[in-house]
Amino acid sequence: MKKSMCITYEVEDALYVNVTNKCSNRCTFCIRNNGDSAYGSDSLWLEREPTVTEIVDSILSRDVDSYSEIVFCGYGEPSVRLRDARAAALAVKEKHPTVKIRINTNGQSDLILGYDTAPFYKDAFDSVSISLNTPDPKRYVQICRPAFGINTHRAIIDFARRVKAYVPKVAFSVVRETLTEEEITECQKIADSVGVTLRIRAYITPDNLSS
Ligand code: SF4
């Protein structure tokens, strides 16, 4: 496996931030299964986790205000390092108050960190995109293989309900190619019951990395 210290990388008109390779899921469809590199980087596998200072420096070395948004995403689950991601986001916002910052998460930060994490998203992130993936808890276990088992899906929905009190925009995301129309309808019902948007995105492959 090739490794590098690729902390930030561009995806279309956004700047993505890679803070960890750790994750509480082992999704069957994870982009990491496709290889070491993505989005023009040598590798998104990190030699080591960058410090908060390194994350901030990497972001600030770019023309921050030229991007549509900054997205904490990368080759792992960014909320594993929620406090560090928050600190980095707040530092960037201090220099660039109008920049929009999103975090793409599997929605498991409460389970990973063991406390109510929703308040820690406040002010640092303008939007939170949570991978729902399926309307069915059993199916979630099959396709995402979470470390926390069958209760994970319910915990993700609970997290979405709470974090929307702290963050202006919260969305569930699903991958169109992995779901039937009926399943997408069920995901929409869950999103509606929580009061968040449902974002239906295309499956990411080496051939459509910018989707
Ligand atoms: S949650 Fe994201 S990073 Fe983690 S295994 Fe699934 S797709 Fe990969």
Side-chain angles (χ1 to χ4, degrees):
M1 179 195 300
K2 193 171 177 183
K3 293 189 176 183
S4 78
M5 283 304 284
C6 180
I7 303 170
T8 51
Y9 54 99
E10 294 176 338
V11 180
E12 297 183 333
D13 56 0
L15 184 69
Y16 276 52
V17 188
N18 184 30
V19 300
T20 186
N21 294 145
K22 292 180 186 148
C23 187
S24 48
N25 279 356
R26 291 184 301 116
C27 300
T28 53
F29 53 84
C30 183
I31 186 177
R32 302 184 303 182
N33 301 335
N34 295 332
D36 299 342
S37 66
Y39 306 107
S41 70
D42 267 358
S43 172
L44 290 176
W45 293 110
L46 293 160
E47 291 163 9
R48 58 176 172 75
E49 289 187 342
T51 65
V52 173
T53 301
E54 287 172 325
I55 296 166
V56 173
D57 287 350
S58 181
I59 296 170
L60 294 184
S61 71
R62 309 275 191 153
D63 183 3
V64 173
D65 292 317
S66 71
Y67 295 106
S68 60
E69 58 184 342
I70 310 286
V71 185
F72 283 74
C73 182
Y75 251 28
E77 169 49 42
S79 75
V80 166
R81 297 187 64 196
L82 179 59
R83 286 177 189 251
D84 289 344
R86 172 184 173 77
L90 288 173
V92 171
K93 278 183 172 284
E94 202 175 309
K95 301 252 187 219
H96 298 272
T98 60
V99 72
K100 297 291 179 213
I101 303 186
R102 165 162 54 112
I103 183 165
N104 287 356
T105 174
N106 65 16
Q108 297 174 27
S109 51
D110 289 357
L111 297 172
I112 294 166
L113 299 172
Y115 55 86
D116 175 11
T117 58
F120 292 87
Y121 290 78
K122 188 175 188 297
D123 298 329
F125 303 107
D126 301 282
S127 60
V128 178
S129 179
I130 304 167
S131 302
L132 182 64
N133 294 323
T134 167
D136 178 45
K138 285 185 188 156
R139 182 78 183 129
Y140 188 89
V141 168
Q142 286 171 352
I143 62 175
C144 296
R145 300 181 288 187
F148 303 105
I150 192 69
N151 293 326
T152 308
H153 193 262
R154 176 176 293 275
I156 292 168
I157 295 169
D158 285 347
F159 167 73
R161 195 170 276 120
R162 280 180 291 102
V163 80
K164 78 186 173 71
Y166 299 100
V167 175
K169 287 187 192 168
V170 178
F172 280 136
S173 73
V174 294
V175 178
R176 179 180 296 283
E177 291 85 345
T178 63
L179 296 174
T180 64
E181 283 304 316
E182 290 74 23
E183 287 171 320
I184 289 177
T185 301
E186 288 305 308
C187 288
Q188 184 67 63
K189 283 184 191 166
I190 293 172
D192 291 346
S193 73
V194 173
V196 303
T197 305
L198 182 70
R199 189 170 72 95
I200 303 168
R201 67 171 179 85
Y203 179 60
I204 298 172
T205 70
D207 297 325
N208 74 346
L209 281 174
S210 60
S211 297

